[in-house]
Amino acid sequence: DTAVSQTPKYLVTQMGNDKSIKCEQNLGHDTMYWYKQDSKKFLKIMFSYNNKELIINETVPNRFSPKSPDKAHLNLHINSLELGDSAVYFCASSQEGSSSGGEQFFGPGTRLTVL
Amino acid sequence: AQSVSQHNHHVILSEAASLELGCNYSYGGTVNLFWYVQYPGQHLQLLLKYFSGDPLVKGIKGFEAEFIKSKFSFNLRKPSVQWSDTAEYFCAVTPYEGRDDKIIFGKGTRLHILP
């Protein structure tokens, strides 16, 4: 059984388009996250949600909008895609927050390529 | 600003060699510390973590790490590496600030083990 799943795995699109990445976890965790990993493998947190409530909103363009319909899902919608948005996007979940020593479980990643 | 530094970007070792990957963080307060590993083609997974107690932490696959508070360090060690340890290793820090679960990742160290 896949614990944290993301769709699609690969996404190739043109500049200016709007796209969404979906994430689902079946672990019953309360907290979910989105990370961006750039071409140099630098992993940076974008958002975190706890029980559908936004907890962390790092400095990302407001073209990025997370949506959590329920605590098992955290989708990422991106408007007006730019070349610099090309990266691998990881979803993760945890039962306890990292500040409580909680382990994060990561999804397989979505490789977004903007042409 | 809080940050995590991994000094070695790319390490190449022969099998059976000993390994030490450096990790330093900049934050004066209480922290939780993690090492995550990303094997080729796979998603990130937790290797070990320090939350409290014994500063020498043992993880999976024979890895261990030592938290030295005075040096703001959390170096990862393994006495004898195997070819299957080839992967990307990420050190991560969560400043203990209660509800804010901001986890900061280092830029990763790519470990390549020669058979």
Side-chain angles (χ1 to χ4, degrees):
Chain A
D1 275 346
T2 304
V4 182
S5 59
Q6 295 178 228
T7 53
K9 190 171 182 182
Y10 298 97
L11 183 55
V12 181
T13 188
Q14 300 278 355
M15 267 198 312
N17 284 350
D18 303 338
K19 290 292 177 186
S20 291
I21 307 172
K22 295 186 177 181
C23 177
E24 176 181 1
Q25 53 97 1
N26 62 7
L27 299 166
H29 288 167
D30 288 335
T31 308
M32 295 184 73
Y33 310 80
W34 274 110
Y35 290 86
K36 178 180 179 181
Q37 186 179 45
D38 62 23
S39 58
K40 296 182 180 177
K41 295 280 190 174
F42 185 40
L43 193 67
K44 187 170 182 189
I45 191 166
M46 300 173 70
F47 303 101
S48 82
Y49 267 73
N50 180 275
N51 261 321
K52 298 169 42 177
E53 181 187 350
L54 181 65
I55 302 299
I56 294 173
N57 183 354
E58 286 298 289
T59 308
V60 298
N62 57 14
R63 298 182 294 104
F64 290 79
S65 53
K67 292 213 170 26
S68 182
D70 54 64
K71 76 172 193 177
H73 295 84
L74 181 62
N75 303 325
L76 183 65
H77 189 76
I78 316 170
N79 290 329
S80 302
L81 278 155
E82 300 177 358
L83 292 176
D85 297 332
S86 295
V88 181
Y89 292 84
F90 286 97
C91 177
S93 74
S94 67
Q95 181 52 34
E96 296 174 302
S98 300
S99 62
S100 303
E103 173 185 356
Q104 296 198 15
F105 292 79
F106 285 81
T110 295
R111 183 175 293 275
L112 170 65
T113 303
V114 182
L115 303 175
Chain B
Q2 301 131 2
S3 65
V4 177
S5 297
Q6 291 183 242
H7 316 297
N8 317 103
H9 297 296
H10 196 181
V11 174
I12 302 173
L13 294 172
S14 298
E15 273 194 312
S18 64
L19 170 73
E20 181 160 3
L21 300 182
C23 173
N24 286 89
Y25 64 92
S26 63
Y27 181 70
T30 304
V31 292
N32 298 316
L33 299 150
F34 306 81
W35 276 97
Y36 282 84
V37 60
Q38 187 174 24
Y39 296 104
Q42 297 187 28
H43 52 85
L44 280 92
Q45 54 189 287
L46 184 69
L47 202 55
L48 50 78
K49 68 178 181 182
Y50 171 81
F51 178 55
S52 63
D54 190 343
L56 183 62
V57 179
K58 295 196 184 297
I60 60 171
K61 303 188 180 185
F63 284 91
E64 65 177 33
E66 185 174 12
F67 171 45
I68 304 179
K69 191 173 180 180
S70 60
K71 294 184 178 180
F72 300 91
S73 69
F74 191 54
N75 293 353
L76 181 70
R77 298 195 293 250
K78 184 170 183 177
S80 176
V81 294
Q82 300 172 303
W83 178 78
S84 58
D85 294 325
T86 293
E88 190 100 21
Y89 292 80
F90 295 90
C91 181
V93 172
T94 295
Y96 189 76
E97 294 175 340
R99 198 162 181 244
D100 183 357
D101 284 326
K102 184 188 296 185
I103 183 167
I104 302 162
F105 282 84
K107 294 191 175 183
T109 296
R110 182 166 297 180
L111 177 64
H112 187 76
I113 306 299
L114 302 172

